[in-house]
Amino acid sequence: NDPVNIGYGVSTRIEDVANVILHAAGHQPTIQYMSKPTAIERREVNTEKALSLGFQPEGSLEKGLADTLSWYKETQCVLV
């Protein structure tokens, strides 16, 4: 019953993730920092357990987020 991290094994800056989400949603990225960024610039999940269970990542962060956004639009979910 332990959690399993899913990812594609690439360290990604949080700012880059925000930009990918904005692009996928069709917005021009304009990120405004309200305070100093924290010391944590990047996130990378440990995917060893998922890989040991047979998970194989496909595609990229950009494709995954674009596909997720398309799914939300198709299912008429409301994004806030």
Side-chain angles (χ1 to χ4, degrees):
N1 292 352
D2 292 333
V4 177
N5 292 317
I6 302 295
Y8 65 109
V10 175
S11 176
T12 307
R13 292 181 338 138
I14 295 168
E15 180 180 4
D16 293 338
V17 173
N19 281 321
V20 169
I21 292 169
L22 288 168
H23 277 294
H27 297 285
Q28 281 294 352
T30 53
I31 298 174
Q32 224 177 11
Y33 294 99
M34 304 308 280
S35 62
K36 280 185 167 180
T38 65
I40 302 170
E41 274 190 29
R42 297 177 172 270
R43 296 278 189 207
E44 182 177 356
V45 298
N46 181 337
T47 59
E48 288 178 21
K49 186 171 182 179
L51 294 172
S52 74
L53 296 171
F55 172 76
Q56 290 297 316
E58 297 176 8
S60 64
L61 175 66
E62 293 82 0
K63 173 128 175 51
L65 288 173
D67 289 350
T68 300
L69 185 59
S70 292
W71 177 83
Y72 272 109
K73 287 178 178 179
E74 289 170 12
T75 60
Q76 300 179 14
C77 291
V78 177
L79 297 176
V80 281

